[in-house]
Amino acid sequence: MVKVIGLFVMFISFYGLQNGGFDLGLAQAFLVGLFMFFSEALFAHFFFVQREKVRAKYRRR
């Protein structure tokens, strides 16, 4: 669901940038949408790495 919202925000901001010229708020909205689109994979990877660090710590004992 977060990916769909991210795509929607990216689409709306890109449409606004094409029709109204460059605006910093629309550029930020595009970047937020981009982050929302990729955030699920980034957070999943981050939590996986942290979990593996804990497992490796207890495996050494």
Side-chain angles (χ1 to χ4, degrees):
M1 186 66 186
V2 175
K3 283 186 176 187
V4 173
I5 295 170
L7 283 174
F8 180 72
V9 169
M10 286 170 50
F11 174 74
I12 294 298
S13 63
F14 186 73
Y15 182 74
L17 284 169
Q18 278 192 339
N19 287 340
F22 182 76
D23 183 21
L24 190 59
L26 290 174
Q28 286 177 337
F30 182 81
L31 292 176
V32 167
L34 194 65
F35 176 74
M36 287 175 70
F37 185 76
F38 290 110
S39 66
E40 185 178 349
L42 289 172
F43 286 123
H45 177 71
F46 175 74
F47 290 129
F48 171 75
V49 169
Q50 295 303 320
R51 188 172 55 241
E52 287 301 315
K53 284 182 184 178
V54 171
R55 283 183 182 171
K57 177 182 170 183
Y58 286 109
R59 228 180 272 143
R60 280 187 253 142
R61 290 182 179 184

